């Protein structure tokens, strides 16, 4: 009797997981299916793959500057991610390894800055960037996100698990502070860098509000702005729209599955 009860609970558990999995995967399936169908078929709720993929692709490249927007997003996101990882990891490493009361107070101020919404900073940032003529430039997109309080805190928390004895031994062997960081700290903390890279890449790739203000020409617009523009006309081509969203999603999927084996250990390391 007890065995049948356990088997029944197991069946219910797997049934629940199947339902949750279906609900989670279905939007991606519908997005991929809609990218191959006409707008009328998408609105009609067609759930099978169609034969209009190349037609939607041709319409997209001839109607909007998809290639340019994709390149702008990819370039800005990759540069932002690389620079952010370097700057924030150095800051987090410095806060933890070279500790004193002044640095602890500065870290407290940085933590308080996380309470400020980015929307409250946009007006002064825009005025400052307009003075330096950075509007419609790559650096105008990148500079506000190179150093963030969250990533500095993230690296600082993970650095607590970094063996300080390794640093001391390297100093005894004559390795400089830059050598310790680049040749010892970075390889050991690779899971932390991978987790931070995923978070930074996703935030930068999906960034909409700041590019909406800074990128005021079609030659500098990013993918979120392009996709929003596809719905701004009198009629919306949903097949083309879904194809654009599908292509927009692919880089995030690639980055996540490339770094996923480090992601969990990197996130868990920050709360040890």
């Amino acid at each position: 009797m007890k065995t049948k009860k356990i088997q029944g609970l197991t069946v219910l558990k797997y049934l629940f997981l199947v339902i949750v999995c279906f609900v989670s995967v279905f939007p991606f399936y519908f997005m991929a299916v809609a990218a191959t169908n006409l707008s009328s078929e998408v609105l009609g709720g067609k759930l099978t793959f169609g034969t209009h993929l190349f037609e939607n692709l041709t319409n997209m490249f001839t109607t909007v500057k998809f290639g340019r927007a994709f390149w702008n997003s990819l370039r800005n996101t990759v540069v932002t991610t690389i620079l952010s990882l370097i700057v924030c990891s150095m800051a987090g490493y410095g806060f933890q390894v070279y500790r004193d009361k002044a640095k602890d107070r500065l870290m407290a101020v940085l933590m308080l800055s996380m309470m400020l919404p980015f929307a409250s900073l946009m007006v002064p940032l825009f005025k400052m960037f307009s003075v330096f003529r950075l509007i419609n430039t790559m650096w105008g997109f990148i500079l506000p996100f190179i150093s963030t309080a969250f990533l500095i805190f993230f690296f600082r928390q993970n650095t607590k698990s970094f063996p300080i004895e390794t640093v001391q031994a390297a100093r005894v062997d004559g390795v400089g502070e830059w050598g310790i960081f680049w040749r010892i700290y970075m390889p050991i903390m690779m899971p932390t860098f991978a987790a931070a890279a995923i978070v930074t890449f996703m935030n930068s790739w999906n960034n909409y509000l700041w590019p909406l203000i800074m990128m005021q020409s079609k030659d500098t617009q990013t993918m979120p702005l392009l996709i929003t523009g596809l719905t701004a006309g009198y009629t919306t081509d949903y097949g083309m729209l879904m194809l654009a969203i599908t292509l927009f999603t692919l880089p995030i999927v690639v980055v996540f599955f490339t770094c996923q084996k480090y992601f969990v250990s990197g996130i868990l390391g920050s709360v040890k």
Side-chain angles (χ1 to χ4, degrees), residues 16-87:
F16 173 76
L17 291 176
V18 168
I19 294 173
V20 171
C21 182
F22 174 79
V23 172
S24 301
V25 173
F26 180 77
F28 297 97
Y29 170 78
F30 182 78
M31 179 177 66
V33 166
T36 64
N37 290 315
L38 296 175
S39 182
S40 58
E41 295 172 333
V42 175
L43 293 174
K46 184 179 178 182
L47 297 178
T48 56
F49 286 95
T51 58
H52 302 281
L53 175 62
F54 291 103
E55 181 180 342
N56 291 334
L57 193 64
T58 303
N59 291 338
M60 185 175 63
F61 276 98
T62 55
T63 305
V64 294
K65 296 182 178 181
F66 178 85
R68 184 67 182 178
F70 191 91
W71 165 247
N72 289 338
S73 286
L74 185 63
R75 178 198 59 194
N76 296 348
T77 300
V78 170
V79 175
T80 301
T81 302
I82 293 174
L83 292 180
S84 183
L85 290 180
I86 294 174
V87 172

Side-chain angles (χ1 to χ4, degrees), residues 2-206:
K2 193 176 289 186
T3 304
K4 290 183 178 179
K5 186 176 181 180
I6 294 174
Q7 290 177 346
L9 290 174
T10 303
V11 170
L12 289 175
K13 180 176 68 175
Y14 279 105
L15 180 62
F16 173 76
L17 291 176
V18 168
I19 294 173
V20 171
C21 182
F22 174 79
V23 172
S24 301
V25 173
F26 180 77
F28 297 97
Y29 170 78
F30 182 78
M31 179 177 66
V33 166
T36 64
N37 290 315
L38 296 175
S39 182
S40 58
E41 295 172 333
V42 175
L43 293 174
K46 184 179 178 182
L47 297 178
T48 56
F49 286 95
T51 58
H52 302 281
L53 175 62
F54 291 103
E55 181 180 342
N56 291 334
L57 193 64
T58 303
N59 291 338
M60 185 175 63
F61 276 98
T62 55
T63 305
V64 294
K65 296 182 178 181
F66 178 85
R68 184 67 182 178
F70 191 91
W71 165 247
N72 289 338
S73 286
L74 185 63
R75 178 198 59 194
N76 296 348
T77 300
V78 170
V79 175
T80 301
T81 302
I82 293 174
L83 292 180
S84 183
L85 290 180
I86 294 174
V87 172
C88 293
S89 63
M90 286 183 178
Y93 175 83
F95 272 115
Q96 183 60 31
V97 175
Y98 310 106
R99 297 195 64 178
D100 58 43
K101 291 184 178 179
K103 288 189 177 69
D104 290 340
R105 295 192 195 99
L106 180 58
M107 190 66 209
V109 173
L110 285 175
M111 295 295 293
L112 287 173
S113 70
M114 293 176 63
M115 300 174 64
L116 293 174
F118 182 73
S120 65
L121 305 175
M122 287 192 302
V123 173
L125 279 175
F126 180 80
K127 292 185 68 175
M128 181 177 67
F129 281 27
S130 63
V131 170
F132 290 102
R133 299 181 180 179
L134 293 175
I135 297 177
N136 286 326
T137 65
M138 179 185 71
W139 293 108
F141 177 95
I142 292 172
L143 286 176
F145 307 103
I146 287 180
S147 178
T148 63
F150 169 76
L151 271 190
I152 293 174
F153 171 74
F154 181 74
F155 276 105
R156 186 199 180 195
Q157 290 300 106
N158 276 272
T159 305
K160 291 181 179 179
S161 63
F162 181 74
I164 193 64
E165 297 81 8
T166 305
V167 176
Q168 296 169 347
R171 289 170 179 167
V172 171
D173 291 339
V175 181
E177 297 301 318
W178 284 104
I180 293 173
F181 180 83
W182 291 102
R183 293 157 53 190
I184 299 175
Y185 176 79
M186 288 187 69
I188 292 177
M189 302 299 292
M190 192 56 65
T192 302
F193 279 87
I198 292 174
V199 173
T200 306
F201 188 94
M202 290 179 63
N203 289 338
S204 181
W205 184 258
N206 293 322

